[in-house]
Amino acid sequence: MLVPDVSQREVEIRYSFSGAELLLFGAIVYPDGRAPDKPADIVVVLKGPEQSITMREKQKVAGIWVNAASARFRSAPSYYAMASSRPIDAIVDDRTAAIYELGLDKLQLSPASLNANAELERFQAGLADLRHRYGLFVERPGAVEITDGVLYQARLPLSARVIVGPYTAETFLVQDGRVVAAAVRDITIRKSGFEQFMADAASDWPFAYGMVAIIMACAMGWAAGSIARRL
């Protein structure tokens, strides 16, 4: 049995938010109170809200970059981070990894287009690479520390680009290549302060929000022009 927890159940995004680091930790409770002779492995997965996304491939035609082939995925996680006590391929086989989506190459993105398998794999790899560069897809094999076969901990980064919404922190206990226990903790990422006020204003009073934005843009343009004429 697993008794997991996270360092923060709520993460607030303010104007100065530059990312954060979550500590996922907990304990392994064995039925007889003793750790087995062969140590177990721990895998932790942090997931953000799922999104429908269309990936487009750029192609240069007559010196101009234009959209070429595309693929749409119905359920791509907006954020995915995984840490494990050892490399995944040393812990579970490909089938088990696919069932529990352990690894970027095992994500079930539910393609909505009718592209060929090889083309879909190329687009999926492109999506993973793009979000990895933005810090939204993270893999950290060997980053889970297990103490005395009972206590574990892992640190996972949250990029400044994460979106608000419900997140899940899943912990898997793996013994002899099988997932023998799993537990989930919920995390909420939300805006606060001025960012929350602006988001609420745009949602609750869209017309007033748009008019204020236009007035502010015109005022700033007039002020910039006035300063430029004086200089």
Side-chain angles (χ1 to χ4, degrees):
M1 185 176 73
L2 289 167
V3 184
D5 208 346
V6 292
S7 55
Q8 290 178 262
R9 293 293 184 90
E10 287 192 357
V11 177
E12 294 185 349
I13 295 181
R14 299 177 180 270
Y15 72 93
S16 58
F17 182 74
S18 58
E21 186 177 64
L22 290 181
L23 173 64
L24 287 72
F25 61 95
I28 307 169
V29 180
Y30 295 100
D32 56 1
R34 293 192 314 165
D37 295 332
K38 185 178 180 181
D41 285 289
I42 289 289
V43 182
V44 294
V45 175
L46 183 59
K47 275 186 181 181
E50 293 188 344
Q51 298 173 312
S52 175
I53 184 171
T54 300
M55 292 290 294
R56 291 185 173 86
E57 195 172 53
K58 295 289 186 180
Q59 191 174 53
K60 202 169 187 178
V61 178
I64 300 174
W65 288 99
V66 297
N67 290 331
S70 65
R72 188 167 72 87
F73 300 103
R74 285 191 290 259
S75 59
S78 58
Y79 174 87
Y80 176 94
M82 183 196 70
S84 54
S85 52
R86 291 187 295 156
I88 283 296
D89 58 2
I91 298 176
V92 294
D93 57 25
D94 285 344
R95 180 175 178 275
T96 302
I99 291 173
Y100 294 98
E101 295 186 291
L102 304 180
L104 295 178
D105 60 335
K106 298 297 188 295
L107 291 177
Q108 307 298 319
L109 302 180
S110 301
S113 50
L114 299 177
N115 306 60
N117 287 338
E119 192 174 35
L120 283 173
E121 289 177 2
R122 188 174 81 251
F123 278 106
Q124 181 168 343
L127 173 63
D129 178 66
L130 183 64
R131 294 201 164 175
H132 175 73
R133 281 185 278 161
Y134 288 155
L136 296 173
F137 280 4
V138 179
E139 280 188 311
R140 289 189 170 180
V144 176
E145 299 177 12
I146 302 177
T147 305
D148 298 329
V150 176
L151 303 177
Y152 69 88
Q153 65 171 5
R155 297 181 183 275
L156 290 175
L158 279 177
S159 167
R161 295 175 178 265
V162 293
I163 66 172
V164 299
Y167 286 61
T168 58
E170 299 176 273
T171 305
F172 301 95
L173 176 65
V174 183
Q175 185 75 44
D176 296 324
R178 297 183 301 109
V179 175
V180 296
V184 180
R185 287 292 179 268
D186 295 325
I187 300 169
T188 300
I189 296 181
R190 62 184 181 87
K191 294 182 179 179
S192 63
F194 182 72
E195 284 72 18
Q196 183 62 48
F197 170 77
M198 294 299 293
D200 290 341
S203 175
D204 298 337
W205 308 291
F207 179 77
Y209 177 85
M211 291 301 297
V212 170
I214 292 172
I215 292 171
M216 289 180 63
C218 292
M220 292 177 67
W222 176 84
S226 178
I227 293 172
R229 285 194 297 270
R230 292 182 182 181
L231 296 177

